[in-house]
Amino acid sequence: MEVTESNPPASEYFGRLTFSGDVMLKRLPPDVAMSLSNTIGRGSPLDPKVANTVAAAMKDWAIEHGATHFCHWFHPLTGSTAEKHDAFLSVNADGVAIEKFSGNALILGEPDASSFPSGGIRDTYEARGYTAWDGNSPAFLLSTTEGVTTLCIPTAFVSYTGEALDMKTPLIRSVEAVAKQAGRILRFFGTDEGVNQVVGTLGCEQEYFLVDQELFRDRLDLVTCGRTLLGASAPKGHQLDDHYFGAIPARVLSFMTEAESRLFELGVPVKTRHNEVAPGQYEVAPTFETTNVAVDHQMLLMHILKDVARKHGFECLIHEKPFAGINGSGKHINWSLSTDAGVNLLDPQDETHTNMQFLVFLCAVIRAADKHADLLRASIASAGNDHRLGANEAPPAIMSIFLGEMLTDILDQLEAGKPRKTMKGGTLDLNALSLPQIPRHSGDRNRTSPFAFTGNKFEFRAVGSTASVAWPTTVLNTMIAESLDYMAAQLEKRAGKKPTAAKLETATRALLKEVVKEHRRVCFDGDGYGDEWTAEAERRGLPNVRDSAHALPAFKSRQATSLFSKYGVLSGRELKARADILLEQYATKLEIEGRTMSSLIRTEVLPAALRTQAELADVVGATQVAGVECPDSEAELRLLVSYVSELRASVDEIDASLGTPGKDPEKHAKQLRTTLVPAMERARAASDALEARIPTELWPLPTYAEMLLVGR
């Protein structure tokens, strides 16, 4: 597409709908702009004196872009975002109308706190809650595809009594907790000069499917549950691996281009787009940003994908497993720590074996993943992710770390004593004069690992595609804060707070040797999909929690309560509330799926199956009356009857499993996992077998073959 005035390069309009950068500098007095910049860039508290000035500038800017309303935009415990729109228009007692937006309205809001999930923190009669402006994440203008624009102010959301009722508040607390402990490590090694703060950084990839909207609307399961509860495999899935990185269909590319343009305007630095493994599956990935902003942008990305997809006649499916038997969708969190000067603390550098500071951070992460594997697993638990973990390029439910050859070799050296060398990757000679030699990395990549080191960051690959990345990042930050705290305390104890270089090196090597020896069992570079790894993990004593109903109760343990409360991330009450909410959401989603499947089978599949059975019975009867033997048709009729009988029995089991929930969310979740899920699996098997035998004109639902040909 040619660059023109109507189609400028992205750099010219990137971030134009965010109140930051040049927009902020042009509209605020210098001292106010500096104060707000410090809040955004350094995490400094907002000066209340500047709030009215900022609010007035925001209002004028928003109105110039066509906005008539503003909202406090927050992340309640539903896993999505929420917003209550208020008009700028204000009418005084004399009937005079004027647009107003005060500093108080910018900083503080009062949404109803009793209608969101609270895990018992709020009751129906306890409705007051507060939203508080998060100045670290810029306000933005969000427009619909129809052109309605709203000023959105990112906020935290807490109860009247001060407990966090959102994803953002504990995320920010966890960012501060891990930054504080990382700062202690920097001070110990004397590398904190010129560093004002340590910042977490994230890069959040997003996988998704596209289906034609007309087909989507004809599938009650997709509309209600986001995934197909029934559906026989298409003749062609991703067996030939020809979709991955293939040419993007023109209609899909048009959708991607518009979605990217809208994201660029919102300051979301999307970088990569491509076909994913499964037909109809795609991926978009941004560059790294600070944690809090990256989380807000990830929620915006999902919103924009869905909004723009509908404009192009698609429905964007974010669910982890919209189609059985083919690649599922994840959301890889690329996590690292950096200084505000831009130094990546997880960069191993060339001579890694001499980089003691990096090795301390590395071993702290290894220790955290081993010590808190149950929490890491629970952080990505959901009804949708249960369908994905362990197959089709998704990592297994066993939490392990991939390090690669070079770092694994250094761990061997640390465990044996003094590390003496760093393995080099060298170059690859492609044996053709016209092709260049390729610099070879010192370690491979492993797509079967749930938590992999990928050069200068860790990639948490087990996160589900529907998840808000705030929660797994909060858990990860808190775990690593505890581990860095341990490492710093041990180093200070062994070497003193101002050690000599020799004493520092001796203490560090001794500590690293102990941590590696105790916790390297969580490191595994092999095939995470193989049965051999499951057996090996069991021998190592690593937990293998296969479903969410049994993973989520980890948040109720004393160890978890102590961890989150010690670092000020979540109180015991706040953590218990989240555990109960996650269990209730898991159970509720299963119940919705069960009821949807029952309805689909009883109202669509069974009538089609019975009609097919009746027509075949007529054919068999007429053939027999004519005195002609038809053993194949008779066998097919018996098979149809058996599948129909199995379908009836299993759907009756589904209905029986959907009883009244008990008061204990954990028991209810486990009961549904034990009774409802197997009944649904049996019903699906019978239905899918029937689909393969029912004539196309009688089958009532769009098929996999139809839905997976999107954009072709």
Side-chain angles (χ1 to χ4, degrees):
M1 187 180 293
E2 185 180 355
V3 175
T4 63
E5 287 188 15
S6 60
N7 181 47
S11 57
E12 291 189 9
Y13 61 89
F14 183 82
R16 76 176 187 89
L17 297 184
T18 64
F19 196 78
S20 61
D22 289 343
V23 172
M24 183 176 68
L25 292 174
K26 289 176 182 177
R27 292 179 176 272
L28 293 175
D31 59 330
V32 176
M34 180 64 70
S35 176
L36 188 55
S37 292
N38 286 336
T39 296
I40 295 171
R42 298 183 181 179
S44 306
L46 179 72
D47 184 353
K49 296 176 184 177
V50 309
N52 280 327
T53 304
V54 173
M58 272 190 192
K59 177 206 68 178
D60 293 343
W61 169 69
I63 290 173
E64 286 173 19
H65 283 82
T68 57
H69 289 68
F70 70 92
C71 74
H72 278 195
W73 184 81
F74 57 101
H75 306 207
L77 297 176
T78 57
S80 57
T81 57
E83 52 196 61
K84 182 187 75 171
H85 296 197
D86 287 305
F88 290 122
L89 182 69
S90 180
V91 181
N92 64 21
D94 298 327
V96 177
I98 188 173
E99 276 77 20
K100 292 175 61 177
F101 184 45
S102 68
N104 284 338
L106 168 64
I107 290 175
L108 184 68
E110 291 192 26
D112 183 343
S114 64
S115 297
F116 290 103
S118 71
I121 289 177
R122 296 269 84 188
D123 209 334
T124 305
Y125 66 92
E126 299 172 312
R128 191 181 299 278
Y130 298 106
T131 48
W133 180 29
D134 171 24
N136 294 294
S137 187
F140 56 91
L141 295 171
L142 187 60
S143 299
T144 67
T145 51
E146 288 77 24
V148 179
T149 301
T150 305
L151 172 64
C152 297
I153 301 145
T155 57
F157 176 43
V158 299
S159 73
Y160 176 69
T161 48
E163 289 97 347
L165 294 177
D166 65 341
M167 300 285 195
K168 181 181 281 282
T169 303
L171 174 73
I172 293 173
R173 295 170 181 169
S174 76
V175 168
E176 293 177 357
V178 75
K180 178 181 178 181
Q181 301 306 325
R184 291 174 64 193
I185 302 295
L186 297 187
R187 287 191 295 275
F188 190 81
F189 283 96
T191 55
D192 60 328
E193 186 175 348
V195 175
N196 295 306
Q197 64 176 149
V198 174
V199 296
T201 58
L202 288 182
C204 309
E205 304 168 26
Q206 178 72 59
E207 295 173 340
Y208 61 94
F209 281 81
L210 294 175
V211 298
D212 282 307
Q213 204 166 55
E214 290 183 5
L215 299 175
F216 170 81
R217 289 170 179 158
D218 286 339
R219 295 278 318 209
L220 179 64
D221 47 4
L222 281 180
V223 172
T224 307
C225 308
R227 75 178 183 99
T228 54
L229 303 175
L230 309 170
S233 298
K236 181 180 181 294
H238 54 65
Q239 302 98 318
L240 297 176
D241 298 321
D242 55 341
H243 185 70
Y244 191 47
F245 280 16
I248 301 170
R251 183 176 157 212
V252 174
L253 192 57
S254 178
F255 147 74
M256 288 179 170
T257 302
E258 182 171 350
E260 286 175 349
S261 294
R262 287 190 58 188
L263 289 165
F264 288 150
E265 289 181 320
L266 292 165
V268 183
V270 288
K271 181 73 172 177
T272 301
R273 65 189 185 199
H274 62 81
N275 289 1
E276 252 301 331
V277 172
Q281 187 185 33
Y282 306 92
E283 181 178 304
V284 58
T287 54
F288 272 57
E289 299 179 277
T290 57
T291 299
N292 188 26
V293 173
V295 168
D296 281 354
H297 282 173
Q298 220 290 311
M299 300 304 289
L300 273 175
L301 184 145
M302 288 192 289
H303 173 88
I304 295 297
L305 287 178
K306 285 182 170 289
D307 194 35
V308 177
R310 294 184 183 112
K311 179 181 175 182
H312 288 258
F314 295 126
E315 190 68 29
C316 179
L317 305 179
I318 303 290
H319 195 283
E320 288 79 8
K321 202 74 169 178
F323 302 100
I326 63 172
N327 193 56
S329 295
K331 183 178 293 177
H332 307 161
I333 298 179
N334 293 281
W335 178 94
S336 190
L337 293 172
S338 298
T339 69
D340 58 354
V343 177
N344 186 342
L345 301 178
L346 290 179
D347 182 359
Q349 301 180 5
D350 290 337
E351 299 300 323
T352 308
H353 69 286
T354 66
N355 189 350
M356 290 292 112
Q357 179 177 285
F358 163 77
L359 293 175
V360 167
F361 277 100
L362 175 70
C363 289
V365 174
I366 292 171
R367 178 184 176 275
D370 183 35
K371 186 176 176 64
H372 303 291
D374 59 338
L375 299 181
L376 197 62
R377 168 66 180 91
S379 75
I380 47 91
S382 71
N385 220 16
D386 278 359
H387 296 284
R388 168 180 168 264
L389 291 179
N392 294 109
E393 297 199 19
I398 304 166
M399 294 295 103
S400 66
I401 292 179
F402 168 81
L403 294 177
E405 291 177 287
M406 184 269 284
L407 290 182
T408 298
D409 180 61
I410 287 180
L411 289 195
D412 291 339
Q413 295 180 56
L414 285 171
E415 193 170 1
K418 182 178 179 180
R420 299 181 182 279
K421 63 183 178 65
T422 297
M423 183 183 293
K424 303 298 182 181
T427 58
L428 289 176
D429 187 346
L430 302 184
N431 200 30
L433 293 177
S434 60
L435 296 176
Q437 290 191 336
I438 298 175
R440 183 176 181 269
H441 288 85
S442 57
D444 204 344
R445 295 181 64 195
N446 188 332
R447 297 194 61 165
T448 70
S449 175
F451 197 65
F453 187 79
T454 55
N456 60 3
K457 63 187 184 300
F458 280 94
E459 183 180 18
F460 192 10
R461 294 177 50 83
V463 181
S465 52
T466 58
S468 163
V469 297
W471 180 234
T473 304
T474 297
V475 174
L476 189 59
N477 283 343
T478 309
M479 290 164 40
I480 293 173
E482 185 274 334
S483 213
L484 289 171
D485 183 4
Y486 171 82
M487 302 292 278
Q490 286 294 313
L491 289 172
E492 290 165 0
K493 178 181 177 181
R494 298 175 189 215
K497 293 197 174 181
K498 294 184 178 180
T500 63
K503 199 169 185 180
L504 171 62
E505 185 172 349
T506 300
T508 303
R509 284 179 177 166
L511 176 60
L512 293 176
K513 181 177 181 178
E514 291 174 14
V515 171
V516 169
K517 188 172 183 179
E518 183 176 356
H519 297 288
R520 73 173 301 173
R521 65 175 185 166
V522 77
C523 299
F524 177 68
D525 285 1
D527 182 5
Y529 292 165
D531 293 337
E532 296 85 356
W533 168 230
T534 303
E536 171 64 20
E538 186 175 355
R539 284 193 293 273
R540 294 186 185 190
L542 299 179
N544 182 10
V545 187
R546 297 177 184 274
D547 64 76
S548 297
H550 291 84
L552 289 169
F555 290 127
K556 293 186 172 184
S557 69
R558 289 184 181 180
Q559 181 186 21
T561 302
S562 173
L563 173 70
F564 284 94
S565 60
K566 178 179 180 180
Y567 296 96
V569 176
L570 289 167
S571 68
R573 189 178 185 211
E574 289 172 324
L575 182 61
K576 181 183 181 301
R578 276 160 176 73
D580 285 343
I581 289 167
L582 288 167
L583 285 162
E584 287 171 1
Q585 288 174 341
Y586 171 82
T588 302
K589 286 178 181 177
L590 287 186
E591 289 178 324
I592 291 170
E593 289 186 351
R595 292 192 180 95
T596 304
M597 179 179 267
S598 177
S599 175
L600 273 175
I601 289 172
R602 293 191 184 281
T603 62
E604 299 202 55
V605 177
L606 268 176
L610 291 173
R611 184 176 173 185
T612 303
Q613 179 181 307
E615 290 181 358
L616 184 56
D618 288 343
V619 170
V620 170
T623 305
Q624 289 173 340
V625 167
V628 179
E629 293 185 3
C630 53
D632 291 344
S633 297
E634 291 174 13
E636 181 69 14
L637 180 58
R638 284 193 292 271
L639 199 57
L640 273 175
V641 171
S642 69
Y643 285 139
V644 168
S645 297
E646 173 63 19
L647 192 59
R648 286 185 188 276
S650 54
V651 80
D652 286 342
E653 286 184 49
I654 290 172
D655 292 342
S657 299
L658 296 169
T660 305
K663 293 183 179 180
D664 187 327
E666 181 179 341
K667 288 182 180 178
H668 184 48
K670 289 179 177 177
Q671 177 260 323
L672 289 174
R673 180 66 186 84
T674 304
T675 59
L676 177 61
V677 171
M680 291 178 65
E681 289 172 350
R682 287 192 291 273
R684 175 164 196 152
S687 176
D688 291 356
L690 284 168
E691 181 183 344
R693 287 168 169 79
I694 292 176
T696 302
E697 65 272 15
L698 297 183
W699 184 252
L701 304 172
T703 65
Y704 272 30
E706 294 171 304
M707 291 185 288
L708 293 174
L709 291 176
V710 63
R712 297 292 180 179

